[in-house]
Amino acid sequence: MLFRSALIATSGLPATLAGWTLKIGGVVTTFSADKNSVLSAHVPGDLAVGPQTVQLLPPGNSTLAAPPVALQLDAAPPSILTATILTSDGTATPVTSSAPAHPGDSIVLTVSGLAGLEAALPAPGYVWISVNGSPYQATAVNAVPQDGVKNPQDLSYVRFTLPAGLTVDPAVQPPTVSIMVRVGTRLSAGFTLDVTTPTPTK
């Protein structure tokens, strides 16, 4: 069974939650609580997308049960598969450590799962690319041609411009940045992009 994680803010919890049970969508799941009473829970992967009831239950027949709340489950997040540099003449070159991306380059990401459960891909204005934690808007989103494919997949090309003011960690050699794609509340895992060391500004 596949799992996703959820962070659930709470208040008024007892000092210890030993013996307590957390249910999401009626399914008992594992959880832990930090010093700020934020619960970190595994969300069962077979639950349907949409609102699911979350309830924290004390051991035994205690009347201290927390009131149920609704948790909105999204479709699975998108995933970045590849990255290429798109030159002005339309040539696409895969980004590698020997052919890294430069600040200002037009980057095209091949992304799976961007549409999710929607019938169509989102417009570029709804797609954001995080570069080392800073968000940049996509400049184009297009479906990957799959003519003649018996079972077409949710694949798309997402284009964005690598920021000119890029900063990299000098301790990481060869230099890289972490990029993620976000649409709505769905955020991909990080993808390592090889880059050149930016030229210092005078």
Side-chain angles (χ1 to χ4, degrees), residues 123-175:
Y126 293 97
V127 180
W128 294 84
I129 294 86
S130 169
V131 181
N132 276 355
S134 297
Y136 300 90
Q137 196 170 66
T139 56
V141 175
N142 301 103
V144 174
Q146 299 180 69
D147 295 339
V149 176
K150 183 176 181 180
N151 297 306
Q153 298 176 291
D154 180 0
L155 295 174
S156 57
Y157 293 130
V158 176
R159 187 190 304 180
F160 75 103
T161 301
L162 196 63
L166 186 67
T167 56
V168 298
D169 184 349
V172 177
Q173 295 297 327

Coordinates of all heavy atoms in Angstrom, one line a residue, residues 123-175:
A123 N -3.2 25.8 -17.4 CA -2.6 26.9 -18.1 C -1.3 27.2 -17.4 O -1.1 27.0 -16.2 CB -3.5 28.1 -18.1
P124 N -0.3 27.8 -18.2 CA 1.0 28.1 -17.6 C 0.9 29.0 -16.4 O 1.7 28.9 -15.4 CB 1.7 28.9 -18.7 CG 1.1 28.3 -20.0 CD -0.4 28.1 -19.6
G125 N -0.1 29.9 -16.3 CA -0.3 30.8 -15.1 C -0.6 30.0 -13.8 O -0.4 30.6 -12.8
Y126 N -0.9 28.8 -13.9 CA -1.2 28.0 -12.7 C -0.1 27.0 -12.3 O -0.3 26.3 -11.4 CB -2.5 27.2 -12.9 CG -3.8 28.1 -13.0 CD1 -4.3 28.4 -14.3 CD2 -4.4 28.6 -11.9 CE1 -5.4 29.2 -14.4 CE2 -5.5 29.4 -12.0 CZ -6.0 29.7 -13.3 OH -7.1 30.5 -13.4
V127 N 1.0 27.1 -13.1 CA 2.1 26.1 -12.8 C 3.3 26.9 -12.4 O 3.7 27.9 -13.1 CB 2.4 25.3 -14.1 CG1 3.5 24.3 -13.8 CG2 1.2 24.5 -14.6
W128 N 3.9 26.5 -11.3 CA 5.1 27.2 -10.8 C 6.2 26.2 -10.6 O 6.0 25.0 -10.3 CB 4.7 27.8 -9.4 CG 3.7 28.9 -9.5 CD1 2.4 28.8 -9.5 CD2 4.0 30.3 -9.6 NE1 1.8 30.0 -9.7 CE2 2.7 30.9 -9.7 CE3 5.1 31.1 -9.6 CZ2 2.6 32.3 -9.8 CZ3 5.0 32.4 -9.8 CH2 3.8 33.1 -9.9
I129 N 7.4 26.7 -10.9 CA 8.6 25.9 -10.7 C 9.4 26.5 -9.6 O 9.8 27.7 -9.6 CB 9.5 25.9 -12.0 CG1 8.7 25.2 -13.1 CG2 10.8 25.2 -11.8 CD1 7.8 26.0 -13.9
S130 N 9.7 25.7 -8.6 CA 10.6 26.2 -7.5 C 12.0 25.9 -7.8 O 12.3 24.7 -8.1 CB 10.1 25.4 -6.2 OG 11.1 25.7 -5.1
V131 N 12.9 26.9 -7.7 CA 14.3 26.7 -7.9 C 15.0 27.1 -6.6 O 15.0 28.2 -6.2 CB 14.8 27.6 -9.1 CG1 16.3 27.4 -9.3 CG2 14.1 27.4 -10.4
N132 N 15.5 26.1 -5.9 CA 16.1 26.2 -4.6 C 15.2 27.0 -3.7 O 15.6 27.8 -2.9 CB 17.5 26.9 -4.7 CG 18.6 26.0 -5.0 OD1 18.4 24.8 -5.1 ND2 19.8 26.5 -5.3
G133 N 13.9 26.7 -3.8 CA 12.9 27.3 -2.9 C 12.2 28.6 -3.3 O 11.3 29.0 -2.7
S134 N 12.7 29.2 -4.4 CA 12.1 30.4 -5.0 C 11.2 30.1 -6.1 O 11.6 29.3 -7.0 CB 13.2 31.4 -5.4 OG 14.0 31.8 -4.3
P135 N 10.0 30.6 -6.2 CA 9.0 30.2 -7.2 C 9.1 31.1 -8.5 O 9.4 32.3 -8.4 CB 7.7 30.5 -6.5 CG 7.9 31.6 -5.6 CD 9.4 31.5 -5.1
Y136 N 9.0 30.4 -9.6 CA 9.0 31.1 -10.9 C 7.9 30.4 -11.8 O 7.7 29.2 -11.7 CB 10.4 30.9 -11.6 CG 11.5 31.4 -10.9 CD1 12.2 30.6 -9.9 CD2 11.9 32.8 -11.0 CE1 13.2 31.2 -9.2 CE2 12.9 33.3 -10.3 CZ 13.6 32.5 -9.4 OH 14.6 33.0 -8.6
Q137 N 7.2 31.3 -12.5 CA 6.0 30.8 -13.3 C 6.4 30.2 -14.6 O 7.4 30.6 -15.2 CB 5.1 32.0 -13.6 CG 3.7 31.6 -14.0 CD 2.8 32.8 -14.1 OE1 3.0 33.7 -14.9 NE2 1.8 32.9 -13.2
A138 N 5.7 29.1 -14.9 CA 6.0 28.5 -16.2 C 5.6 29.4 -17.3 O 4.7 30.2 -17.2 CB 5.1 27.2 -16.3
T139 N 6.3 29.3 -18.4 CA 6.1 30.1 -19.6 C 5.3 29.3 -20.7 O 4.7 30.0 -21.5 CB 7.4 30.6 -20.2 OG1 8.2 29.5 -20.6 CG2 8.1 31.5 -19.2
A140 N 5.2 28.0 -20.6 CA 4.5 27.2 -21.5 C 4.2 25.8 -20.9 O 5.1 25.3 -20.2 CB 5.2 27.1 -22.9
V141 N 3.1 25.3 -21.2 CA 2.7 23.9 -20.8 C 2.0 23.2 -22.0 O 1.0 23.7 -22.5 CB 1.7 23.9 -19.6 CG1 1.3 22.5 -19.3 CG2 2.4 24.5 -18.4
N142 N 2.6 22.1 -22.5 CA 2.1 21.4 -23.6 C 2.1 19.9 -23.4 O 3.0 19.4 -22.7 CB 2.9 21.7 -24.9 CG 3.0 23.2 -25.2 OD1 4.0 23.8 -24.9 ND2 1.9 23.7 -25.8
A143 N 1.1 19.2 -23.9 CA 1.0 17.8 -23.8 C 2.1 17.2 -24.7 O 2.5 17.6 -25.8 CB -0.3 17.3 -24.3
V144 N 2.7 16.1 -24.2 CA 3.7 15.3 -24.9 C 2.9 14.5 -26.0 O 2.0 13.8 -25.7 CB 4.5 14.3 -24.0 CG1 5.4 13.4 -24.9 CG2 5.3 15.1 -23.0
P145 N 3.3 14.7 -27.3 CA 2.6 13.9 -28.4 C 2.7 12.4 -28.1 O 3.8 11.9 -27.9 CB 3.3 14.3 -29.6 CG 4.0 15.7 -29.3 CD 4.3 15.6 -27.8
Q146 N 1.5 11.8 -28.2 CA 1.5 10.3 -28.0 C 0.6 9.7 -29.0 O -0.2 8.8 -28.7 CB 1.0 10.0 -26.6 CG 1.9 10.6 -25.5 CD 1.4 10.2 -24.1 OE1 1.4 9.1 -23.7 NE2 0.9 11.2 -23.4
D147 N 0.8 10.1 -30.3 CA -0.1 9.6 -31.3 C 0.1 8.1 -31.5 O 1.3 7.6 -31.5 CB 0.3 10.3 -32.7 CG 0.0 11.7 -32.6 OD1 -0.9 12.1 -31.8 OD2 0.5 12.5 -33.4
G148 N -1.0 7.4 -31.5 CA -0.9 5.9 -31.8 C -0.6 5.1 -30.5 O -0.6 3.9 -30.6
V149 N -0.4 5.8 -29.4 CA -0.2 5.1 -28.1 C -1.5 4.5 -27.6 O -2.5 5.2 -27.5 CB 0.4 6.0 -27.1 CG1 0.6 5.2 -25.8 CG2 1.8 6.5 -27.6
K150 N -1.5 3.2 -27.3 CA -2.7 2.5 -26.9 C -3.3 3.1 -25.6 O -4.5 3.3 -25.4 CB -2.5 1.0 -26.8 CG -3.8 0.2 -26.4 CD -3.5 -1.3 -26.4 CE -4.7 -2.1 -26.1 NZ -4.5 -3.5 -26.1
N151 N -2.4 3.3 -24.6 CA -2.8 3.8 -23.3 C -1.9 5.1 -23.0 O -0.9 5.0 -22.3 CB -2.5 2.8 -22.2 CG -3.4 1.5 -22.4 OD1 -4.6 1.6 -22.5 ND2 -2.8 0.4 -22.4
P152 N -2.4 6.2 -23.6 CA -1.6 7.4 -23.4 C -1.5 7.8 -21.9 O -2.4 7.6 -21.1 CB -2.4 8.5 -24.1 CG -3.8 7.9 -24.2 CD -3.6 6.4 -24.3
Q153 N -0.3 8.4 -21.5 CA 0.0 8.8 -20.2 C -0.2 10.3 -20.0 O -0.3 11.0 -20.9 CB 1.4 8.4 -19.8 CG 1.7 6.9 -19.8 CD 3.1 6.6 -19.6 OE1 4.0 6.9 -20.4 NE2 3.4 6.0 -18.4
D154 N -0.3 10.6 -18.7 CA -0.4 12.1 -18.3 C 1.0 12.7 -18.4 O 1.7 12.8 -17.3 CB -1.0 12.2 -17.0 CG -1.2 13.6 -16.5 OD1 -0.8 14.5 -17.2 OD2 -1.7 13.8 -15.4
L155 N 1.5 13.0 -19.6 CA 2.8 13.5 -19.7 C 2.7 14.9 -20.4 O 1.9 15.2 -21.3 CB 3.7 12.6 -20.6 CG 4.0 11.2 -20.1 CD1 4.7 10.4 -21.2 CD2 4.8 11.3 -18.8
S156 N 3.6 15.8 -19.9 CA 3.6 17.2 -20.5 C 5.0 17.8 -20.5 O 5.9 17.3 -19.8 CB 2.7 18.1 -19.6 OG 3.1 18.1 -18.3
Y157 N 5.1 18.8 -21.3 CA 6.3 19.6 -21.4 C 6.0 20.9 -20.6 O 5.1 21.6 -20.9 CB 6.8 19.9 -22.8 CG 7.2 18.7 -23.6 CD1 6.7 18.5 -24.9 CD2 8.2 17.9 -23.1 CE1 7.1 17.4 -25.6 CE2 8.6 16.8 -23.8 CZ 8.1 16.5 -25.1 OH 8.5 15.5 -25.8
V158 N 6.9 21.2 -19.6 CA 6.7 22.5 -18.9 C 8.0 23.3 -19.1 O 9.1 22.9 -18.8 CB 6.5 22.2 -17.4 CG1 6.5 23.5 -16.6 CG2 5.2 21.4 -17.2
R159 N 7.8 24.5 -19.7 CA 8.9 25.4 -19.9 C 9.0 26.5 -18.9 O 8.0 27.1 -18.5 CB 8.8 25.9 -21.4 CG 10.1 26.7 -21.8 CD 9.9 27.5 -23.1 NE 9.5 26.6 -24.2 CZ 9.2 27.0 -25.4 NH1 9.3 28.3 -25.7 NH2 8.8 26.2 -26.3
F160 N 10.2 26.9 -18.5 CA 10.4 28.0 -17.7 C 11.8 28.6 -18.0 O 12.7 27.9 -18.6 CB 10.3 27.7 -16.2 CG 11.4 26.9 -15.6 CD1 12.4 27.5 -14.8 CD2 11.6 25.5 -15.9 CE1 13.4 26.8 -14.3 CE2 12.6 24.8 -15.3 CZ 13.5 25.5 -14.5
T161 N 12.1 29.8 -17.5 CA 13.4 30.4 -17.7 C 14.2 30.3 -16.4 O 13.8 30.7 -15.3 CB 13.3 31.8 -18.1 OG1 12.6 31.9 -19.3 CG2 14.7 32.5 -18.3
L162 N 15.4 29.7 -16.5 CA 16.3 29.6 -15.3 C 16.7 31.0 -14.9 O 17.2 31.8 -15.7 CB 17.5 28.7 -15.6 CG 18.3 28.2 -14.4 CD1 17.5 27.3 -13.6 CD2 19.6 27.5 -14.9
P163 N 16.4 31.4 -13.6 CA 16.7 32.8 -13.3 C 18.1 33.3 -13.5 O 19.1 32.5 -13.2 CB 16.3 32.9 -11.8 CG 16.3 31.4 -11.3 CD 16.0 30.6 -12.5
A164 N 18.2 34.5 -13.9 CA 19.6 35.1 -14.2 C 20.3 35.3 -12.8 O 21.6 35.2 -12.8 CB 19.5 36.4 -14.9
G165 N 19.6 35.6 -11.8 CA 20.3 35.8 -10.5 C 20.4 34.5 -9.7 O 20.2 34.6 -8.4
L166 N 20.7 33.4 -10.3 CA 20.8 32.1 -9.7 C 21.9 32.1 -8.7 O 23.0 32.5 -8.9 CB 21.0 31.1 -10.7 CG 20.9 29.6 -10.3 CD1 19.5 29.3 -9.8 CD2 21.3 28.7 -11.4
T167 N 21.6 31.5 -7.5 CA 22.7 31.3 -6.5 C 22.8 29.8 -6.2 O 21.8 29.1 -6.2 CB 22.3 32.0 -5.2 OG1 21.1 31.6 -4.7 CG2 22.3 33.5 -5.3
V168 N 24.0 29.3 -6.1 CA 24.2 27.9 -5.9 C 25.1 27.8 -4.6 O 25.8 28.7 -4.2 CB 24.9 27.3 -7.1 CG1 24.0 27.3 -8.3 CG2 26.3 27.9 -7.4
D169 N 25.1 26.6 -4.1 CA 25.9 26.3 -2.9 C 27.3 26.0 -3.4 O 27.5 25.0 -4.1 CB 25.3 25.1 -2.2 CG 26.1 24.8 -0.9 OD1 27.2 25.3 -0.7 OD2 25.6 23.9 -0.1
P170 N 28.3 26.8 -3.0 CA 29.7 26.5 -3.5 C 30.3 25.2 -3.1 O 31.2 24.7 -3.7 CB 30.5 27.7 -3.0 CG 29.7 28.2 -1.8 CD 28.3 28.0 -2.2
A171 N 29.7 24.7 -2.0 CA 30.2 23.4 -1.5 C 29.8 22.2 -2.4 O 30.3 21.1 -2.2 CB 29.7 23.2 -0.1
V172 N 28.8 22.4 -3.2 CA 28.3 21.4 -4.1 C 29.0 21.4 -5.4 O 28.8 22.4 -6.1 CB 26.7 21.5 -4.3 CG1 26.2 20.4 -5.2 CG2 26.0 21.4 -2.9
Q173 N 29.8 20.4 -5.7 CA 30.5 20.4 -7.0 C 30.3 19.0 -7.6 O 30.5 18.0 -7.0 CB 32.0 20.7 -6.7 CG 32.3 22.1 -6.2 CD 31.9 23.1 -7.3 OE1 32.0 22.9 -8.5 NE2 31.5 24.3 -6.8
P174 N 30.0 19.0 -8.9 CA 29.6 20.1 -9.8 C 28.3 20.8 -9.3 O 27.5 20.1 -8.6 CB 29.4 19.5 -11.2 CG 29.1 18.0 -10.9 CD 29.9 17.7 -9.6
P175 N 28.2 22.1 -9.6 CA 27.0 22.8 -9.0 C 25.7 22.3 -9.5 O 25.5 21.9 -10.7 CB 27.3 24.2 -9.5 CG 28.2 24.1 -10.6 CD 29.0 22.9 -10.4

